[in-house]
Amino acid sequence: MITETINRLKNKARKAVGRLTDDKPEVRRALVQAENWVEQQRHMLGGVFPSIIRPRPARLFLALTGHCNWRCLGCCYERDFMVGEQLSFDMIREVLDDARDAGIHRVRLYGGEPLLHPDLPAIVAHCRKLKITPFVTTNASLLEHKIDDLYEAGLRDISVGFYGTGAEMDSYTEIGNKRL
């Protein structure tokens, strides 16, 4: 319980400092260096006092679904990994609750194509309720149809896979073999 409280306080402080230093990259860099120095000292002490070294996860990567509307050559989703599968909202909610209790402050939602998960806006909203910052990794082909609901749910960060343009992209993603 004490560790959870300390982790929550650290996460709140980290977020507050992050907001204050958004437009001050040199200050942010100095704070990150200071935090890294403190971690180095803690690990050095861990050689003498091993009990002070405990895992402190900060991020979670959560594959929501195997479903995808593309068939990228370098991807195993819908071929030999999570074929036809996706996590239920109840299971995701439990994982996120556990993540919060473990001190996780950021979660990457991905999969096959996470925009195909019907509960993605609710998942994002649950992350925000838990004070976990979500970000989605997507091929973005469905973003135009989903962005309003996701933004309303609290999503502010997206990473997009870019696979080229024109015929090169069509070939890599096998777009002609799948629906958009």
Side-chain angles (χ1 to χ4, degrees):
M1 182 64 173
I2 292 173
T3 302
E4 292 170 12
T5 303
I6 290 170
N7 283 337
R8 283 195 192 114
L9 289 172
K10 283 182 185 177
N11 290 337
K12 285 182 180 183
R14 191 177 277 126
K15 285 180 183 181
V17 168
R19 284 190 295 273
L20 292 172
T21 61
D22 271 345
D23 59 344
K24 297 173 185 79
E26 65 284 347
V27 173
R28 178 174 265 173
R29 225 178 346 269
L31 290 171
V32 168
Q33 287 175 341
E35 184 177 24
N36 289 340
W37 182 84
V38 167
E39 280 301 299
Q40 272 185 325
Q41 304 315 304
R42 190 173 73 85
H43 281 272
M44 286 174 46
L45 283 172
V48 180
F49 306 104
S51 64
I52 69 169
I53 302 298
R54 295 222 162 76
R56 291 191 337 204
R59 292 177 181 87
L60 173 68
F61 289 60
L62 189 57
L64 303 178
T65 182
H67 302 304
C68 190
N69 57 330
W70 287 2
R71 198 160 169 76
C72 299
L73 297 177
C75 184
C76 295
Y77 287 95
E78 289 234 315
R79 288 185 184 177
D80 57 349
F81 182 71
M82 287 185 76
V83 178
E85 299 291 330
Q86 71 181 17
L87 301 178
S88 70
F89 179 64
D90 289 338
M91 180 181 288
I92 294 166
R93 188 175 43 229
E94 287 178 28
V95 167
L96 292 171
D97 291 347
D98 289 345
R100 182 224 27 228
D101 293 345
I104 300 290
H105 59 84
R106 189 151 169 84
V107 62
R108 174 185 177 212
L109 304 170
Y110 72 109
E113 174 49 54
L115 298 182
L116 290 172
H117 197 292
D119 298 314
L120 187 57
I123 294 166
V124 168
H126 191 67
C127 286
R128 287 299 189 184
K129 176 182 157 199
L130 298 174
K131 307 290 191 241
I132 295 174
T133 303
F135 76 101
V136 171
T137 300
T138 175
N139 64 33
S141 64
L142 304 169
L143 199 52
E144 179 181 1
H145 307 291
K146 307 282 184 164
I147 192 65
D148 291 339
D149 290 340
L150 291 170
Y151 187 84
E152 186 177 317
L155 185 66
R156 299 298 181 267
D157 299 313
I158 297 174
S159 64
V160 177
F162 180 73
Y163 310 104
T165 60
E168 178 185 1
M169 181 180 138
D170 291 349
S171 174
Y172 180 77
T173 61
E174 297 186 0
I175 287 177
N177 299 332
K178 294 283 280 189
R179 71 190 186 299
L180 284 177

